[in-house]
Amino acid sequence: MLRSTSLDRVRPASEPFDFAIIGGGATGLGIAVDAASRGHRVALFEQADFAKGTSSRSTKLVHGGVRYLRQGNVSLVLEALRERGRLARNAPHLVRNQEFVIPTYAWWEGPFYGIGMKVYDGLAGKLGFGPSRHLSREETIALLPNIEREHLTGGVIYHDGQFDDARLAVNLAQTAEAHGAAVLNYCRCSGLVKERGAVTGVEIRDEETGGEFTVRARAVINATGVFVDAVRRMDEAAPAKMVAVSQGIHLVLPRSFLPGETALMVPKTADGRVLFAVPWHGCVVVGTTDTARSVAELEPRALDEERDFVMEHARRYLARDPADADVLSIFAGQRPLVRAGGGNTAALSRDHTIVISDSGLLTITGGKWTTYRRMAEDAVDRAETVAGIASRPCATADLPIHGATHTGISEANLQPYGAVAPALADLIQSDPQWAERLHPALPYQRGEAVWQARHEMARTVEDVLARRTRALLLDARASIKAAPVVARLLAAELGRDAAWEQAQVASFTALARGYVFTDPASRADAVLSKNTPTS
Ligand SMILES: Cc1cc2nc3c(=O)[nH]c(=O)nc-3n(C[C@H](O)[C@H](O)[C@H](O)COP(=O)(O)OP(=O)(O)OC[C@H]3O[C@@H](n4cnc5c(N)ncnc54)[C@H](O)[C@@H]3O)c2cc1C
């Protein structure tokens, strides 16, 4: 996947594309895969890097959503469980079956959650990941050795999916490209082309060179997550807002706080939220929150109340309490929830919505990572009709995603690459320096950064450390120390000079300080002035 090749394909004023997609998160990339695999001509533009927005900041669960069951949204749960099964089949290198335990502290919780999880199993049907069952107090402690034992009565075990969100996004970009799409990161849509009242294309700014160009398309799709309203304002003067921004944060802790293979799920915290602690890439991800925010941000930061909430609950449910210095990383993301008249964002719909403007701009938002494929199918079906593009059947239900393989890979750091891991292993072996780690505290090898520049469109140190590897989330301080090595490797691959290397290290360090729990830069107030309100 080469950026220059995609640029060459979109720049000449050739025949219009069938689809121009704005936004390279789960939603936009899913649409690119769907439309390209139907045989349409597709171009996708992402203003930063693939999954730079919300799609790299999730809880990493491919799930039906136990909490939506509690809210009575059975159709959303059913659809998500169906999609969970499909994704596990189509991207087995990135999705794994994860065991969760709900610890119970009152006599009624065992039967209550036990029945709820049986309903969840029943809805999953043939695509189920494994049956739920009751656990005794002793069994619960055996699976969650660090669980708070005071008043513990037992637990309920159930199964759900876990994945690597940003790696799936990169693999979707590669899948779309393999089906003929031109996919571009660092290309911002700065305006819409309109002819006789109809949207007929997009104005694009190449953020690397400052160059501007126009791309024409029969259908233009706005898949920009929490930024959809900003793009809609390029089309209409003052459209009613579609999205309510809801922020969620996570803390990453060392695995010693959740030893074993089992995740912890608290279905109802004191204020009615769901809390997860899930093993991930050798660490534990703990979260999340649901906080209404008035501005959409590409690089959001946690509020003090969110940090306190997650830390307090981690301490409440874990016998050995984490201290501030134990936190390896803190990250925040913003959910694009479909607006339904304001109020508490936890109660707003997680369903997706498609809106078509008078000029034909199709905006899609809401949903979840788990349902991205279904959202894409709906969006392409609608766009074909609205734009008069020949209707073709959706092909993604059983479409393998780049890297799909059932063959096991022995090196833990190469597992997320799936089928291409052997080729990457060969590259790493071709130069002794590339076998060295990026940093002793990180599982990644230097050759991975080289591979990512050559095959995964990594353009910056952040692309490598935040999304191609997950170093920034696994250990923010170690990722800062790894930045100079990554900058040197990228400069050699991309033909950049020493000044570029230095600038890259400086900008990554400034960003990564925002992920260090004990650094003031990780607090919302410290960065509010730097984030431009966009909706
Ligand atoms: C805290 C949290 C936890 C979550 N956990 C889960 C989970 O465990 N499982 C699950 O299924 N879902 C989860 N979700 C939901 C899921 O992450 C989102 O639904 C999904 O990532 C949204 O994807 P998107 O593509 O719509 O938005 P985004 O990923 O934000 O993508 C939009 C993209 O558009 C780009 N863009 C904006 N403006 C422009 C422009 N003018 N030109 C070009 N590009 C532009 C942005 O840079 C961005 O990359 C979670 C969400 C949050 C916030």
Side-chain angles (χ1 to χ4, degrees), residues 107-126:
W107 68 266
W108 57 268
E109 286 182 336
F112 182 77
Y113 294 123
I115 292 167
M117 295 324 298
K118 282 292 169 210
V119 174
Y120 196 66
D121 291 350
L123 290 174
K126 283 203 304 273

Side-chain angles (χ1 to χ4, degrees), residues 22-277:
I22 315 166
T27 309
L29 290 165
I31 293 168
V33 170
D34 186 302
S37 60
R38 291 189 199 204
H40 296 309
R41 293 183 70 241
V42 175
L44 176 141
F45 304 96
E46 162 56 48
Q47 65 176 355
D49 185 27
F50 306 121
K52 162 72 183 179
T54 309
S55 297
S56 57
R57 301 158 188 276
S58 77
T59 313
K60 331 297 179 198
L61 300 180
V62 187
H63 60 161
V66 176
R67 85 187 250 193
Y68 314 128
L69 197 59
R70 208 177 64 208
Q71 290 168 355
N73 195 342
V74 174
S75 63
L76 177 63
V77 178
L78 249 180
E79 178 172 286
L81 286 172
R82 208 175 297 132
E83 291 304 320
R84 180 186 74 170
R86 287 181 172 143
L87 192 56
R89 222 169 38 208
N90 297 335
H93 59 304
L94 290 179
V95 178
R96 56 185 207 96
N97 188 330
Q98 174 68 56
E99 220 170 57
F100 289 77
V101 166
I102 303 174
T104 54
Y105 291 91
W107 68 266
W108 57 268
E109 286 182 336
F112 182 77
Y113 294 123
I115 292 167
M117 295 324 298
K118 282 292 169 210
V119 174
Y120 196 66
D121 291 350
L123 290 174
K126 283 203 304 273
L127 293 171
F129 276 29
S132 61
R133 67 180 178 90
H134 285 282
L135 296 176
S136 66
R137 187 174 189 276
E138 291 66 36
E139 286 175 312
T140 304
I141 292 169
L143 289 171
L144 297 173
N146 194 29
I147 191 71
E148 181 56 60
R149 296 175 189 199
E150 205 180 327
H151 306 302
L152 181 73
T153 55
V156 175
I157 191 166
Y158 74 98
H159 296 253
D160 232 325
Q162 199 212 22
F163 77 130
D164 187 321
D165 49 10
R167 288 232 39 108
L168 179 58
V170 171
N171 284 171
L172 287 176
Q174 290 171 306
T175 310
E177 204 222 20
H179 285 88
V183 289
L184 280 156
N185 54 7
Y186 298 100
C187 277
R188 185 166 62 85
C189 171
S190 53
L192 300 174
V193 182
K194 278 187 159 180
E195 287 165 54
R196 291 188 294 279
V199 175
T200 56
V202 284
E203 305 280 0
I204 299 297
R205 183 174 193 278
D206 181 342
E207 296 290 338
E208 289 194 350
T209 61
E212 295 185 348
F213 54 94
T214 297
V215 175
R216 290 181 188 280
R218 293 188 177 90
V220 174
I221 303 208
N222 172 14
T224 53
V226 289
F227 303 97
V228 286
D229 288 321
V231 172
R232 289 170 69 232
R233 283 197 294 274
M234 297 175 187
D235 179 37
E236 300 170 59
K241 279 191 179 180
M242 243 180 108
V243 152
V245 178
S246 153
Q247 180 160 298
I249 73 144
H250 295 89
L251 306 181
V252 181
L253 295 173
R255 190 61 178 275
S256 58
F257 286 96
L258 198 74
E261 295 302 318
T262 308
L264 163 69
M265 196 270 206
V266 178
K268 199 166 183 192
T269 56
D271 56 355
R273 304 185 206 184
V274 175
L275 193 89
F276 290 101

Side-chain angles (χ1 to χ4, degrees), residues 444-462:
Y444 306 110
Q445 292 172 286
R446 295 181 181 193
E448 290 181 63
V450 175
W451 177 272
Q452 291 157 4
R454 289 186 191 174
H455 301 290
E456 298 183 346
M457 225 185 262
R459 307 295 297 174
T460 69
V461 169
E462 186 195 330

